[in-house]
Amino acid sequence: ASGAGGVLDDAQLFATTAEAIADCQMVYATTARPREMTKRVLTPEAAMREAAGRIAEGQRVGVLFGRERTGLENADIVASNAIITVPVNPAFASLNLAQCVLLTGYEWRRQADRTPPEQLVLNSGEEAVRASSAAVGGVLEHMVAELDASGFFWPDEKRPSMVANLENLFRRMDLTEPDVRILRGVIRSLSEMRARRRLPGAGEASKSRTEKE
């Protein structure tokens, strides 16, 4: 990842696998091939969830990744406690080294990450605050009052169902507080424009402007 040079700066080199994992209480080996040995096989998600629990208990955990061309040696698998296998299409089970490291690292990160699976974010990058039920109801009441004044609800017997449809529309939009303020402003502006048009002489003034244009 960009800016993650510190990982390489802190890397240590060992002559053998045994030396590399000497201080680990738990070692996972990544491989997609059956090795004809009895070991637990975990997905990256399950393995990293277990690893997080072990580390919280004070254990040291290691993950072995093999060479790009040949993967891990059988001796490396024997020296491990469990196997990590990514559940991919079995016809293409062998991942390259970078992909395997990425998937395992991603699952490790997920154990500590508390990012919600879905967020609504404003243009400023801040998380949007969803409008309360009362705020949405206030916009709806404002709009219904203006629609009543303009004669929108016709015939009268259809008004209840039309209002219900409007409320259903508003409720399923998942409005934010800024959305509510914008809608309030829009309704207010349209109401004020209608009021200006009802003023004496407003129609003549509008007609004169149109003729000049």
Side-chain angles (χ1 to χ4, degrees):
S2 177
V7 176
L8 296 179
D9 295 337
D10 296 335
Q12 300 179 57
L13 298 177
F14 298 90
T16 65
T17 300
E19 292 175 27
I21 64 174
D23 60 347
C24 293
Q25 284 85 30
M26 182 66 187
V27 177
Y28 300 93
T30 57
T31 180
R33 291 184 288 131
R35 302 299 181 115
E36 298 182 354
M37 59 183 75
T38 303
K39 284 190 184 291
R40 289 190 305 137
V41 179
L42 297 87
T43 64
E45 179 182 13
M48 293 301 97
R49 183 168 56 246
E50 181 181 274
R54 289 179 176 273
I55 291 172
E57 295 173 357
Q59 298 183 36
R60 291 182 66 85
V61 176
V63 180
L64 294 176
F65 299 97
R67 298 170 181 81
E68 182 71 66
R69 188 175 63 84
T70 59
L72 290 171
E73 302 289 341
N74 278 346
D76 298 326
I77 307 296
V78 171
S80 68
N81 303 106
I83 290 173
I84 295 176
T85 295
V86 182
V88 294
N89 186 333
F92 309 97
S94 183
L95 301 179
N96 67 38
L97 176 59
Q99 288 175 320
C100 189
V101 173
L102 171 66
L103 287 170
T104 306
Y106 171 71
E107 292 297 346
W108 166 250
R109 171 65 183 165
R110 285 183 62 200
Q111 303 310 310
D113 185 40
R114 295 295 178 265
T115 303
E118 181 179 342
Q119 292 176 286
L120 191 61
V121 180
L122 299 173
N123 292 337
S124 63
E126 299 177 4
E127 186 174 0
V129 178
R130 284 175 169 77
S132 67
S133 178
V136 175
V139 174
L140 180 64
E141 290 176 6
H142 190 177
M143 174 171 282
V144 169
E146 294 302 328
L147 291 174
D148 274 328
S150 67
F152 176 80
F153 298 114
W154 187 88
D156 292 342
E157 60 269 20
K158 289 189 176 181
R159 183 184 183 282
S161 64
M162 295 173 76
V163 171
N165 287 335
L166 276 174
E167 180 168 8
N168 186 49
L169 184 153
F170 271 73
R171 296 296 183 186
R172 71 171 183 259
M173 283 197 293
D174 204 12
L175 297 170
T176 65
E177 289 181 352
D179 293 336
V180 166
R181 290 194 292 271
I182 290 172
L183 286 172
R184 285 278 199 179
V186 169
I187 297 169
R188 188 179 302 111
S189 177
L190 293 174
S191 173
E192 291 172 353
M193 179 180 293
R194 190 174 67 251
R196 286 196 299 270
R197 287 176 175 174
R198 288 199 298 265
L199 293 174
E204 292 299 324
S206 176
K207 180 179 179 181
S208 299
R209 284 196 298 270
T210 302
E211 289 175 349
K212 287 181 180 179
E213 293 170 358

